[in-house]
Amino acid sequence: MLLRSARPEDLPLLQEIERAAGEPFRALGMAAVADDDPPPLETLEAYRAAGRARVAERAGRPVAYLVWDEVDGAAHVEQVTVHPDAARRGLGRALIEELAADATARGVPALTLTTFTDVPWNAPYYARLGFRVLADTELTDGLRAIRRAEADHGLDRWPRVCMRRDLR
């Protein structure tokens, strides 16, 4: 496995990874998540151009990716997605650990993300990686804005939480 920055030619493949990774949600009664469109190429290109898109590559092809934003002083994992054919091999963890190391080196105090509470490969997985659920009183303005946007997109049909992993 090779971790590297995303390249322009990777972006359509990232959309394919996203579509494939959505399918397991269907079995949980979350067809709307499975049917949701992947991020547009323009959005992925903005992450790539800003140096905030990383891929895990196997056999010369991306099989997982992570994009992140800076939100209220933390590195916010906007999306980490692994193709189901490459799942359970530590690729998502490797991408998150790479971001954590980079953020620590830059003096960033934490990683944050939002996720589904009851999906086994979401909140329970992130808890195993050292993230903790934030109480409502701990949410920053930026995290509140993200949650509002997610609710507007219909994601609040299923329980969601904000999580944080302190890096110091």
Side-chain angles (χ1 to χ4, degrees):
M1 168 193 58
L2 169 69
L3 300 182
R4 62 170 174 79
S5 295
R7 300 175 187 138
E9 63 270 20
D10 294 331
L11 303 183
L13 300 174
L14 303 187
Q15 290 180 313
E16 290 177 21
I17 293 167
E18 191 70 27
R19 283 185 194 98
E23 281 305 309
F25 285 90
R26 200 174 303 284
L28 300 177
M30 300 171 74
V33 174
D35 294 335
D36 198 28
D37 289 330
L41 290 175
E42 298 78 21
T43 299
L44 294 171
E45 172 55 22
Y47 281 111
R48 188 205 65 76
R52 293 182 285 129
R54 301 287 292 171
V55 300
E57 177 185 292
R58 278 193 14 219
R61 181 180 173 94
V63 293
Y65 77 98
L66 181 146
V67 295
W68 63 276
D69 289 311
E70 290 189 22
V71 176
D72 298 329
H76 182 77
V77 178
E78 176 58 32
Q79 188 68 41
V80 60
T81 304
V82 178
H83 193 287
D85 292 345
R88 304 190 62 79
R89 292 184 176 94
L91 301 177
R93 175 187 296 264
L95 287 164
I96 289 170
E97 293 305 330
E98 181 186 60
L99 176 61
D102 175 69
T104 298
R106 292 184 295 110
V108 174
L111 303 181
T112 60
L113 55 82
T114 61
T115 194
F116 293 111
T117 305
D118 300 328
V119 174
W121 59 90
N122 278 201
Y125 169 76
Y126 296 119
R128 290 192 301 274
L129 297 184
F131 287 83
R132 67 178 177 82
V133 174
L134 293 174
D136 287 342
T137 57
E138 295 178 282
L139 299 183
T140 64
D141 290 341
L143 290 175
R144 282 190 183 89
I146 289 168
R147 288 290 293 119
R148 280 192 301 275
E150 290 174 346
D152 290 347
H153 192 69
L155 294 179
D156 275 7
R157 286 183 265 172
W158 306 277
R160 286 184 69 77
V161 291
C162 293
M163 299 183 81
R164 177 182 174 103
R165 175 176 159 182
D166 291 317
L167 298 175
R168 294 184 185 166

